[in-house]
Amino acid sequence: VTLHLVLAESALELVPQEIRNTPAVRSDSRRRGTDPSEIILDRSLHHSSMPRLSHGERRGRPDLVHEAVLSATGTPLFMNGKLKVYVHTNQNLVLQIEEKTRIPKSYNRFRGLAEQLLTERPKSGLVKVYDADITKLVKKVIGADRVVGMSTQGAPTDLGELSKELTATRRPCVLVGGFPRGHFDPAVLRMTDRLVRISPMPLEAHVVVARVVYEVEKATNRIND
Ligand SMILES: C[S@@+](CC[C@H](N)C(=O)[O-])C[C@H]1O[C@@H](n2cnc3c(N)ncnc32)[C@H](O)[C@@H]1O
């Protein structure tokens, strides 16, 4: 069984039109010699330009997406081709990472790759990019028969037990929020069969990803074989 892991509503996008002409974006663009339309929105650089964006508090965190992707792709499950990773963005684009693809460890190189992918939107290759909202991704692309959303608002759940249930299905799908604060959009919640909380504490997405993947590895008995 392959686990389909979706980083949902991720804070990964190119600098939106309405702030491309602001001082923080322009100076970043000059420094890097890159057009503002081809730069990833990054709060650590563009903070002063972001108050005018709607839902700005949930946007511009490519670092968080990078960490979560590395947490997934560094695991035996991924390296064994039993984990498929999808970054669904707040702009309803999907970056689909093929099995065994190596994602850059350096943030600068990851940012460069993300900029290239979002600008060129390749239809094939190690990371494909296409338009899909969460419903299309989960129902059509993945064809999931079991969808579990991870949320601090979910029901307290033992991850080991949940992973056994997940691995008993054909195409299990787990959704983890790829945003820094707030909760899933109602459209995402409607897609889930279950919403679960795996700790009373709010955790970083990369920690949740690492735990889910590890428990699924244990449930499929692929730890040391
Ligand atoms: C940084 S959190 C997002 C915002 C928020 N702090 C929260 O409490 O959900 C990133 C994602 O990690 C997952 N997550 C965080 N803490 C969790 C928990 N205790 N149980 C289950 N999922 C959790 C959720 O999918 C969440 O969208």
Side-chain angles (χ1 to χ4, degrees):
V1 57
T2 296
L3 174 66
H4 297 264
L5 177 72
V6 177
L7 216 52
E9 301 179 73
S10 299
L12 182 73
E13 64 186 299
L14 295 169
V15 173
Q17 179 76 54
E18 63 255 51
I19 63 164
R20 282 184 198 157
N21 223 353
T22 56
V25 170
R26 286 172 57 168
S27 80
D28 186 28
S29 159
R30 261 197 311 277
R31 194 172 47 245
R32 297 185 51 212
T34 308
D35 191 86
S37 64
E38 298 184 358
I39 287 179
I40 291 280
L41 181 67
D42 184 336
R43 175 171 300 283
S44 70
L45 301 165
H46 311 137
H47 180 74
S48 62
S49 307
M50 290 179 64
R52 65 177 81 181
L53 292 180
S54 63
H55 306 293
E57 73 292 344
R58 282 165 72 95
R59 299 169 70 176
R61 291 300 305 275
D63 54 321
L64 186 159
V65 175
H66 185 217
E67 290 168 346
V69 168
L70 287 180
S71 262
T73 58
T75 59
L77 200 68
F78 184 77
M79 292 187 270
N80 282 328
K82 295 290 175 192
L83 171 63
K84 193 109 179 190
V85 180
Y86 308 80
V87 178
H88 164 263
T89 77
N90 53 11
Q91 308 295 307
N92 284 324
L93 280 173
V94 174
L95 285 68
Q96 178 177 323
I97 303 170
E98 289 310 315
E99 287 91 345
K100 306 183 189 181
T101 301
R102 293 168 71 95
I103 297 297
K105 305 283 189 295
S106 128
Y107 171 68
N108 282 341
R109 289 194 46 217
F110 173 77
R111 179 179 59 177
L113 174 66
E115 286 171 345
Q116 189 192 340
L117 289 167
L118 291 181
T119 305
E120 295 173 6
R121 302 196 187 180
K123 295 281 164 278
S124 60
L126 294 175
V127 184
K128 284 196 281 197
V129 180
Y130 48 87
D131 284 298
D133 59 18
I134 202 82
T135 309
K136 181 175 169 196
L137 175 62
V138 169
K139 291 283 171 208
K140 295 224 175 87
V141 178
I142 299 175
D145 54 0
R146 196 93 166 83
V147 185
V148 173
M150 295 287 153
S151 169
T152 48
Q153 295 185 322
T157 301
D158 181 273
L159 196 47
E161 293 302 317
L162 177 70
S163 300
K164 283 181 200 149
E165 286 172 37
L166 280 174
T167 53
T169 63
R170 215 169 40 83
R171 294 178 82 80
C173 176
V174 171
L175 307 176
V176 176
F179 42 83
R181 50 174 56 87
H183 301 286
F184 286 131
D185 186 85
V188 177
L189 293 175
R190 278 196 295 274
M191 278 291 91
T192 61
D193 301 316
R194 263 174 91 175
L195 198 64
V196 309
R197 184 181 94 177
I198 60 166
S199 163
M201 273 188 228
L203 304 169
E204 304 264 338
H206 71 94
V207 175
V208 176
V209 166
R211 292 184 177 206
V212 169
V213 173
Y214 183 53
E215 291 297 337
V216 169
E217 275 174 13
K218 285 199 284 188
T220 50
N221 297 319
R222 293 191 70 92
I223 295 296
N224 262 322
D225 59 7

